[in-house]
């Protein structure tokens, strides 16, 4: 299963990932995205759902 991480330096907290893939990722209190469900995120397109390139695949 693919694994992802959020590059906090690139993440702007725009919330697009949350809109594109509800339940898989959310912007937390720090204003940065946090992955909730990697499997769901993979199904939505993984790193492609972030226009800033802040979602990075760490493992296939
Ligand atoms: S991960 Fe990308 S789409 Fe999600 S809040 Fe951060 S910059 Fe926006």
């Amino acid at each position: 299963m693919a694994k992802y991480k959020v590059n906090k330096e690139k993440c702007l907290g725009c919330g697009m990932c949350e809109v594109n893939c509800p339940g898989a990722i959310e912007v937390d209190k720090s204003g940065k995205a946090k992955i909730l469900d990697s499997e769901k995120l993979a199904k939505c397109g993984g790193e492609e759902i972030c226009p800033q390139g802040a979602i990075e695949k760490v493992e296939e």
Side-chain angles (χ1 to χ4, degrees):
M1 192 187 76
K3 278 210 148 213
Y4 299 94
K5 71 177 183 74
V6 175
N7 182 325
K8 308 244 179 212
E9 254 127 62
K10 287 189 185 169
C11 177
L12 305 175
C14 68
M16 273 303 288
C17 50
E18 218 176 309
V19 172
N20 287 336
C21 199
I25 186 162
E26 70 175 12
V27 179
D28 71 10
K29 284 187 234 89
S30 71
K32 304 286 174 178
K34 188 176 123 202
I35 293 163
L36 305 173
D37 186 336
S38 275
E39 200 172 338
K40 200 178 258 184
L41 184 62
K43 285 184 188 142
C44 293
E47 66 273 35
E48 286 168 24
I49 71 165
C50 173
Q52 304 302 326
I55 300 174
E56 297 173 353
K57 193 185 264 182
V58 291
E59 233 174 75
E60 264 317 321

